Amino acid sequence: MRDTRESRLLLVLLIVIAFALITVDIRGGEDSPIDGARKAAATVLGPVESGVAGAVDPIGNAVGAVRDSGSRHDRIAALERENAALKTRLGSDARNQSRVRQLDAMLKKAGAGQYGIRGAEVVAIGPAQGFSWTITIDAGSKDGVARDMTVINGDGLVGRITTVGPHTATVLLASDPDFTVGTRMEGSDELGFATGQGDRPLAVQLLNGKSKVKKGDRMVTFGSHADRPFVPGVPIGEVVRVDPLGGDLTRTVHLKPYVGFTKLDIVGIVVQAPREDPRDTVLPPKSKPVPTPTVTVTAPPPGENPERDAEEAGAPVAGQPEPGTDQE
């Protein structure tokens, strides 16, 4: 192309267009208004870039930037979207670790008792259908959940299913005053009935008024007819107080539940009862008491401490005045 006034004007025009496109594209970022036309611009300007590369190399680089900026922006945008999605899936590391521990503990409980469970997540807590201590879980009839099924977690008995929808269900917690479950004491097999008392320990009426019970004794569910609403062997809690004998036919004790009802997250609905009563096998192993260290002081044998031996014998110690004498 000859160096004419028209060619120089065309070159200047192309340079102005190139810088204008770069400015608009950079300011637009991911939402650049020329994103759709970027490839077309590169196609149109490509031959011009090749023709003037020898004389105006910096301008050629600028035109190339218009063409290449699209791939860079797309790559950065894709990485940012991937990172955001990963953070959403993972959430808080601490929360995920807690949920993993809860799930692992619940699966171990189910395995020890041979319970067939359906896992669920607590999605709401609060008053429902007149009950004051309830939770809502994200599993319903389409997941095989039915009314009067036992609900557990990694610590023990959570409650029972009271209302079932297609995708959710309501659980009456064991802490509710309207909740009652049959109990069996570990070792002695004494039977009773536990009733919820809100944020206080459960009250247990033992059927044998003369039963021997002490603080620290543990109880599990006795089980119900056809395993509804309670399957047997689920840990309930430990005795924290025993009311004095009053001559009644029954005896009242107070049971601290294993489950923390104010911090429920992952639970399991027992959809299949065990073939045999697991009895006390689901209870956690008893912690061994830590022995109190004792310190024994051994006196040295006679002859190794002359001053002590002399004092015990009543003889004067060398360098000290005899009793009853004055020292100047």
Side-chain angles (χ1 to χ4, degrees):
M1 183 170 60
R2 292 181 300 171
D3 185 12
T4 62
R5 180 181 178 185
E6 290 80 4
S7 62
R8 288 196 298 270
L9 182 61
L10 178 60
L11 180 60
V12 171
L13 180 61
L14 291 175
I15 293 172
V16 171
I17 292 174
F19 278 107
L21 291 174
I22 293 173
T23 302
V24 172
D25 186 42
I26 292 175
R27 290 184 177 180
E30 294 183 13
D31 300 324
S32 173
I34 66 169
D35 185 68
R38 189 176 288 120
K39 293 182 180 180
T43 302
V44 173
L45 298 176
V48 178
E49 178 189 10
S50 300
V52 300
V56 286
D57 187 65
I59 305 305
N61 292 336
V63 177
V66 175
R67 181 186 61 201
D68 297 336
S69 63
S71 61
R72 287 199 300 271
H73 280 297
D74 292 342
R75 185 167 59 253
I76 293 173
L79 291 173
E80 289 178 348
R81 288 193 298 268
E82 184 179 350
N83 189 37
L86 184 61
K87 287 182 178 180
T88 301
R89 288 197 303 269
L90 291 179
S92 168
D93 289 339
R95 184 170 184 266
N96 278 329
Q97 292 174 5
S98 174
R99 291 162 68 87
V100 168
R101 288 193 297 268
Q102 292 179 53
L103 182 60
D104 182 62
M106 184 176 69
L107 292 176
K108 288 180 179 179
K109 277 283 188 293
Q114 296 299 301
Y115 306 126
I117 63 171
R118 168 65 168 85
E121 183 179 356
V122 177
V123 296
I125 185 170
Q129 301 178 355
F131 300 127
S132 58
W133 288 79
T134 61
I135 57 173
T136 302
I137 58 176
D138 64 350
S141 57
K142 292 186 178 295
D143 304 296
V145 177
R147 180 183 172 87
D148 284 339
M149 283 185 170
T150 309
V151 181
I152 67 173
N153 70 357
D155 297 318
L157 179 66
V158 173
R160 63 180 177 88
I161 300 290
T162 56
T163 307
V164 182
H167 303 288
T168 61
T170 301
V171 180
L172 179 66
L173 301 179
S175 56
D176 191 275
D178 290 333
F179 185 95
T180 301
V181 58
T183 65
R184 185 175 56 77
M185 190 181 302
E186 177 189 17
S188 67
D189 291 337
E190 292 286 355
L191 303 181
F193 292 94
T195 303
Q197 296 193 107
D199 55 0
R200 294 179 296 165
L202 281 68
V204 181
Q205 296 289 330
L206 294 175
L207 300 183
N208 181 4
K210 298 181 180 180
S211 59
K212 295 181 179 180
V213 57
K214 64 183 183 303
K215 184 178 179 180
D217 284 344
R218 307 187 294 180
M219 296 186 184
V220 300
T221 56
F222 177 68
S224 306
H225 176 69
D227 300 310
R228 296 285 188 91
F230 302 110
V231 294
V234 179
I236 303 176
E238 295 184 2
V239 175
V240 292
R241 192 172 85 245
V242 180
D243 288 352
L245 289 172
D248 298 331
L249 296 178
T250 61
R251 188 172 191 183
T252 303
V253 299
H254 301 270
L255 205 66
K256 180 181 179 180
Y258 290 121
V259 172
F261 298 108
T262 59
K263 51 183 180 181
L264 293 170
D265 189 6
I266 304 296
V267 299
I269 304 98
V270 181
V271 295
Q272 183 176 358
R275 294 182 179 179
E276 298 180 359
D277 186 347
R279 302 187 69 80
D280 302 331
T281 59
V282 189
L283 284 167
K286 286 187 176 180
S287 57
K288 296 181 179 180
V290 179
T292 303
T294 57
V295 178
T296 304
V297 179
T298 304
E304 292 188 6
N305 192 335
E307 294 184 357
R308 190 207 62 184
D309 296 342
E311 290 179 357
E312 291 179 354
V317 180
Q320 294 185 2
E322 295 185 9
T325 62
D326 295 332
Q327 183 180 18
E328 294 181 358

